[in-house]
Amino acid sequence: MKHKFAISKLAAFTTLSLSTAGAHAGDLTLQPKVTSQAIFQQLDSDTRGDRDLTTLQIEPSLRALYNSRKATVSVTGTGTYLDREAQAGSDKDSYLEYRYDAEFRAIERLLTLQARGSSTYRNANTNNFLLSDFLVNSNDLTRTESNTVSASTDLSRGAWIAGTGTVAYSKVRTEENEFAGANNSRLNNDTISVNGHLFNGDAARTFAWDVTGDYSDTDRTSSAQRDFESYNVNGFVDKQVYGDWAFRVSGQSESHSFGSVNDEFAQEREFDSVGAGIAYRQSGSRYVAITANKASSSNEDNDGDVYPGVEVDWAFTSRTSLFARYGKRFYGDAATVRFEHAAKRIRTSLVYNEDVSNFSQLLSSESNAAVFVCPGSFLSALCFQPSGSGYDLQAGEQLVQLGEDNNALEDDVILRKNGKFQVSYQSRKLRVGVFAQYSDDDYLAQDRVRTTKTVGLNADYRVGAFTNFNTSLSFANIDRTTEDGRSGDGENTRFSMGLNRQFSRYFNLNIGYSYIDSTGDIQTGVFGSNYTDQRITLGVVYQY
């Protein structure tokens, strides 16, 4: 179905954007902008043949920023109006999206309250990852609303006992979608989550200890599913025995419960282990530990196993660090890796993790694998590399990672094994990022697997004082196996480049070209599995 809002609302939104131009009230700043574009589109598909389309796109937006000693707030609203002309006739569509982020520092370090959320149109068809937007395969898009409120505390300066903690409540809703099929259900979930980290303070000399844990409970009763309840705890204690050498005792425990309400019993995945070994420890950020561990698992294949565990947490310099852990979980061998390196102009990040989650939790969570700080969600000349991993965002800033996850809009519980490599470079004129990502989604309650491999590049180059050139390229390979044993794959490519020229403080002109290519045997949609889409865009931007 088409997602429309009244044209009068679009007009009112545009009028509000322009009439409030440049308004300031103390720490409140309003930033209105209107973009108008003519898009000339040529589609070539196996199922629909060739077709030419001309689209007028008008996109008013309003951004409100508030900043004070205790609070920061950012709210952005965007309307999109499309008027399309083709051989078969004309068509009109309208979309409204918003995003907000607020933080209130009630008691410095002791209590911070946060609220964030969005209402956007997301692709519900994982086969058409990278491809679907307002202009092609728009039937894949469905309005998705995500809202999260949280309270956190930071007690990391404690002398003997230190720690951090967060309690959050999230709500995710999606509308019905024309693409919805046997494996796609409308999301209508609430999640309560708690995570904490306790560790020794600086006053502890001969002992070191660390415990991390998280708990979540997602209400899925609206889709005839049992609640998804999950917890995971890891910890160790090191006792210094000689110099930098220590005796280590470690343990871990995890449990995941889920299933259909029609099932007599819930499905459970559980794993517990205890271990002992040695650690070489120079400091809290420089240690290596090896342990022998005994497992108790709901999986008969590794229940009772004795296995080695390895953990490395090593800060080579203030700009280079590595954390790696190897052991077992209920599904077998398990690993976690995080490597970061920050030079003056180049940043490198490698992250690999394995998590049991559902898509509601993935949609409402924030990624911490970003390499740029930007005023919007895309790489531009205004983006910059953060000074460190603990960078505090200012009002209106967002952490932007290269690429995106191929998330479904489903209620299912998955084991996701996800790895991502990112390299970014920044100079006075050039910002460029290169990434490669691997994501394997194993549906725990079904015999379904989807693997997405993505590589890409994003760049922005300042040609002159008032001219910028930008380009992006993404390629994805998607393999999937369904419950009935059928498998297939597809390859999706998206390329774009554009030139932006600033003629005055208020007016910008831009011209762009984009290319989309889809091949394979798993894509579904009005244009089938094999098609190309080429676009030329001419636009003008008014921003006060």
Side-chain angles (χ1 to χ4, degrees), residues 190-500:
D190 300 336
T191 299
I192 296 175
S193 61
V194 181
N195 65 73
H197 181 200
L198 293 174
F199 51 96
N200 61 281
D202 293 337
R205 299 299 182 186
T206 61
F207 278 92
W209 55 276
D210 189 289
V211 178
T212 60
D214 59 75
Y215 169 84
S216 64
D217 187 354
T218 300
D219 180 0
R220 305 189 300 161
T221 55
S222 63
S223 59
Q225 299 282 336
R226 291 179 183 268
D227 289 359
F228 169 45
E229 189 173 8
S230 175
Y231 74 80
N232 198 329
V233 180
N234 284 275
F236 67 81
V237 177
D238 287 347
K239 174 62 176 74
Q240 182 181 3
V241 292
Y242 179 76
D244 292 333
W245 293 92
F247 174 72
R248 168 168 290 202
V249 177
S250 64
Q252 72 178 97
S253 178
E254 69 173 315
S255 175
H256 312 281
S257 176
F258 53 90
S260 169
V261 294
N262 298 322
D263 297 336
E264 183 178 358
F265 301 104
Q267 297 196 44
E268 294 186 351
R269 306 289 191 273
E270 296 178 338
F271 186 88
D272 302 291
S273 74
V274 294
I278 59 173
Y280 176 74
R281 188 181 190 90
Q282 292 187 358
S283 66
S285 59
R286 284 190 172 190
Y287 67 80
V288 178
I290 300 175
T291 57
N293 307 270
K294 179 67 176 293
S296 173
S297 175
S298 60
N299 181 359
E300 295 181 356
D301 292 339
N302 61 9
D303 184 31
D305 282 2
V306 176
Y307 65 93
V310 180
E311 184 170 294
V312 178
D313 192 348
W314 201 271
F316 298 94
T317 67
S318 60
R319 291 177 169 268
T320 305
S321 63
L322 169 67
F323 176 83
R325 176 186 291 156
Y326 169 80
K328 283 185 181 291
R329 296 177 64 179
F330 67 87
Y331 50 85
D333 294 343
T336 299
V337 177
R338 183 176 185 89
F339 173 78
E340 293 181 337
H341 172 69
K344 182 179 180 180
R345 298 186 183 278
I346 299 176
R347 303 292 170 88
T348 304
S349 170
L350 173 64
V351 178
Y352 176 81
N353 50 58
E354 302 173 354
D355 293 309
V356 177
S357 186
N358 67 356
F359 291 105
S360 292
Q361 295 179 7
L362 293 171
L363 291 172
S364 61
S365 64
E366 289 186 317
S367 171
N368 58 358
V371 293
F372 282 106
V373 175
C374 300
S377 57
F378 301 99
L379 184 64
S380 70
L382 300 178
C383 296
F384 61 91
Q385 294 172 332
S387 55
S389 59
Y391 177 82
D392 293 326
L393 293 174
Q394 304 302 308
E397 293 181 344
Q398 295 184 42
L399 289 171
V400 174
Q401 63 175 339
L402 304 173
E404 57 185 291
D405 296 327
N406 188 14
N407 287 326
L409 302 182
E410 302 170 346
D411 258 323
D412 302 291
V413 176
I414 62 169
L415 167 61
R416 170 169 286 186
K417 298 181 179 181
N418 186 71
K420 190 166 192 178
F421 175 71
Q422 300 179 101
V423 178
S424 65
Y425 172 83
Q426 173 184 312
S427 66
R428 186 174 61 87
K429 289 189 174 184
L430 177 65
R431 289 158 182 79
V432 61
V434 179
F435 69 93
Q437 183 169 1
Y438 171 88
S439 181
D440 182 84
D441 294 342
D442 184 355
Y443 288 70
L444 295 182
Q446 309 164 32
D447 293 325
R448 277 205 292 156
V449 178
R450 179 177 59 251
T451 302
T452 305
K453 290 168 282 190
T454 314
V455 295
L457 175 145
N458 300 76
D460 184 276
Y461 179 72
R462 180 180 293 179
V463 180
F466 303 101
T467 306
N468 278 76
F469 172 79
N470 57 77
T471 185
S472 67
L473 172 65
S474 295
F475 171 82
N477 176 271
I478 305 166
D479 292 294
R480 67 188 309 151
T481 302
T482 60
E483 287 186 278
D484 56 9
R486 292 183 299 172
S487 61
D489 70 292
E491 295 181 348
N492 300 339
T493 304
R494 191 176 192 112
F495 168 76
S496 67
M497 62 180 181
L499 195 66
N500 178 274

Side-chain angles (χ1 to χ4, degrees), residues 72-291:
T72 56
V73 180
S74 172
V75 181
T76 303
T78 304
T80 302
Y81 170 71
L82 302 176
D83 188 345
R84 314 194 71 182
E85 296 289 342
Q87 295 95 328
S90 61
D91 189 22
K92 295 180 174 64
D93 286 291
S94 297
Y95 305 85
L96 180 62
E97 300 177 296
Y98 65 81
R99 185 183 303 273
Y100 68 89
D101 197 320
E103 179 179 280
F104 177 62
R105 296 170 287 278
I107 305 174
E108 186 175 1
R109 300 181 67 88
L110 186 61
L111 178 61
T112 300
L113 305 177
Q114 291 182 306
R116 68 177 186 273
S118 64
S119 177
T120 59
Y121 287 87
R122 290 183 174 271
N123 176 27
N125 185 351
T126 54
N127 298 331
N128 285 336
F129 176 56
L130 300 179
L131 305 180
S132 301
D133 57 21
F134 292 148
L135 298 180
V136 65
N137 290 322
S138 59
N139 290 339
D140 290 349
L141 305 179
T142 184
R143 177 181 286 278
T144 304
E145 296 182 359
S146 174
N147 300 280
T148 301
V149 293
S150 65
S152 60
T153 186
D154 184 349
L155 302 173
S156 56
R157 297 179 179 177
W160 292 95
I161 300 176
T164 60
T166 301
V167 178
Y169 170 77
S170 301
K171 179 179 292 187
V172 176
R173 303 283 187 272
T174 61
E175 292 183 349
E176 296 291 349
N177 176 265
E178 289 187 17
F179 171 71
N183 294 320
N184 187 279
S185 56
R186 178 180 178 181
L187 293 178
N188 187 17
N189 297 338
D190 300 336
T191 299
I192 296 175
S193 61
V194 181
N195 65 73
H197 181 200
L198 293 174
F199 51 96
N200 61 281
D202 293 337
R205 299 299 182 186
T206 61
F207 278 92
W209 55 276
D210 189 289
V211 178
T212 60
D214 59 75
Y215 169 84
S216 64
D217 187 354
T218 300
D219 180 0
R220 305 189 300 161
T221 55
S222 63
S223 59
Q225 299 282 336
R226 291 179 183 268
D227 289 359
F228 169 45
E229 189 173 8
S230 175
Y231 74 80
N232 198 329
V233 180
N234 284 275
F236 67 81
V237 177
D238 287 347
K239 174 62 176 74
Q240 182 181 3
V241 292
Y242 179 76
D244 292 333
W245 293 92
F247 174 72
R248 168 168 290 202
V249 177
S250 64
Q252 72 178 97
S253 178
E254 69 173 315
S255 175
H256 312 281
S257 176
F258 53 90
S260 169
V261 294
N262 298 322
D263 297 336
E264 183 178 358
F265 301 104
Q267 297 196 44
E268 294 186 351
R269 306 289 191 273
E270 296 178 338
F271 186 88
D272 302 291
S273 74
V274 294
I278 59 173
Y280 176 74
R281 188 181 190 90
Q282 292 187 358
S283 66
S285 59
R286 284 190 172 190
Y287 67 80
V288 178
I290 300 175
T291 57

Side-chain angles (χ1 to χ4, degrees), residues 2-14:
K2 295 180 180 178
H3 307 280
K4 296 189 174 183
F5 63 97
I7 299 300
S8 59
K9 292 183 179 180
L10 177 66
F13 188 76
T14 306

